[in-house]
Amino acid sequence: MRRLAFLLRPGWLILAAVVAGFAYMCFTVLAPWQLGKNDATSERNQLIEDSVDAAPVAVTDLLDGDREAATEWRKVYAEGSYVPDSTVLVRLRHLDGAPAYGVLSAFTLTDGRMLLVDRGLVAAVDGSQPPPIEPAPTGTQRVEARVRVSENIDPERAPAVQNGIPHVYSIDVPQETTVLGLPLTPVPVGERGAYLQLADDQPGAFTPVPLPQLDSGPYLSYGLQWLAFGIMAPLGLGYFAWAEIRERRKSRVSAPPEPAAPESEPVTKEARLADRYGRTPR
């Protein structure tokens, strides 16, 4: 055990604590974070793939409690009419790499319930100003769309009104309910509900928001890397401890032996007497 006593020195104890903390973070925080993002992305991609060839269902079926069919990206159709003067613009959007605005409107179903509809994107004027927005068509319409989950709102970016049109920074059904002052009904998907995102060539649609790339991204490899780092860190600490033990062992083997102390000559009786009485021994 004396060979391992150096491991109790402060430097080694601090290093061991750092390595243990790093490994713990790798296994409990960093790797699960990346693997969780990979699972979420894979699930999203699967939902999009399933919706491509699926026939649209009536949005009223989802509103009336068909939880199995109520998933994000599901194709639906809705019959009703746009609510006049219910336009809301969404800031900080992009269209073909340039600044753009999203256009939202309320849509009243034939049964009286109102939904939030994302009509698509319009390019900004002079890089920052919204263009004139063409009003939604009047009369009864049948629109096809995809179900999209409400986005998270930023409490530091409050809605504002510009030229009589409300501006927001996220598409969120509860927030737009307050902004428009209308009883919008969220589609029962996600914690904050969902809205409808119009498909191409639909009444009242602008440039549709493109579908995400069906790519899982690097999250799986990142998660595996964090797991590998969590394993390698303790192994590295063990290697350094073994190397220290080996060097100490070599130092003990190669060190020259200490010279032996000279043996003292036996003290005679005459020498003891001479020392006591100050005489010179014969």
Side-chain angles (χ1 to χ4, degrees), residues 128-172:
S128 61
Q129 298 301 317
I133 304 300
E134 182 180 349
T138 59
T140 302
Q141 308 290 336
R142 184 185 187 276
V143 297
E144 292 188 3
R146 290 179 182 272
V147 175
R148 293 300 311 275
V149 172
S150 292
E151 302 171 356
N152 293 326
I153 60 175
D154 186 351
E156 297 183 359
R157 291 177 171 174
V161 177
Q162 182 177 335
N163 297 327
I165 299 178
H167 287 231
V168 296
Y169 291 89
S170 58
I171 307 176
D172 184 83

Side-chain angles (χ1 to χ4, degrees), residues 3 31 37 66 95 112 129-130 140 151 168 212 214 249:
R3 297 178 181 179
K37 293 178 68 174
D66 190 354
L95 177 60
Q129 298 301 317
T140 302
E151 302 171 356
V168 296
L214 299 183
R249 187 182 302 164

Side-chain angles (χ1 to χ4, degrees), residues 32-45 215-221 223:
W33 169 48
Q34 293 295 331
L35 295 177
K37 293 178 68 174
N38 178 74
D39 292 341
T41 303
S42 299
E43 181 181 0
R44 182 207 66 184
N45 293 345
D215 183 7
S216 297
Y219 306 123
L220 178 60
S221 61

Side-chain angles (χ1 to χ4, degrees), residues 41-79:
T41 303
S42 299
E43 181 181 0
R44 182 207 66 184
N45 293 345
Q46 188 61 50
L47 291 174
I48 295 176
E49 289 181 357
D50 293 342
S51 70
V52 170
D53 298 325
V57 300
V59 70
T60 52
D61 293 344
L62 308 187
L63 297 175
D64 293 336
D66 190 354
R67 290 286 179 173
E68 294 184 0
T71 59
E72 188 175 16
W73 306 104
R74 183 66 192 264
K75 285 182 179 178
V76 297
Y77 67 86
E79 295 181 353

Side-chain angles (χ1 to χ4, degrees), residues 169-275:
Y169 291 89
S170 58
I171 307 176
D172 184 83
V173 177
Q175 176 182 254
E176 271 62 276
T177 298
T178 302
V179 170
L180 290 172
L182 296 174
L184 298 176
T185 300
V187 181
V189 179
E191 295 181 358
R192 299 179 65 83
Y195 59 95
L196 301 187
Q197 186 179 82
L198 289 185
D200 196 9
D201 297 328
Q202 296 301 305
F206 295 101
T207 303
V209 178
L211 293 176
Q213 295 290 331
L214 299 183
D215 183 7
S216 297
Y219 306 123
L220 178 60
S221 61
Y222 288 166
L224 296 178
Q225 286 178 11
W226 284 119
L227 290 176
F229 292 155
I231 295 173
M232 292 169 58
L235 292 179
L237 178 63
Y239 171 78
F240 287 127
W242 173 79
E244 181 70 16
I245 294 173
R246 183 182 60 180
E247 291 300 322
R248 289 171 177 268
R249 187 182 302 164
K250 288 182 179 179
S251 299
R252 287 195 299 269
V253 172
S254 60
E258 297 182 358
E263 296 182 359
S264 57
E265 297 181 357
V267 181
T268 62
K269 182 178 179 181
E270 292 182 353
R272 289 198 299 271
L273 293 174
D275 182 65

Side-chain angles (χ1 to χ4, degrees), residues 110-134:
T110 54
D111 62 7
R113 287 178 288 187
M114 288 186 185
L115 303 179
L116 182 66
V117 174
D118 178 7
R119 297 170 57 193
L121 299 169
V122 292
V125 177
D126 298 330
S128 61
Q129 298 301 317
I133 304 300
E134 182 180 349

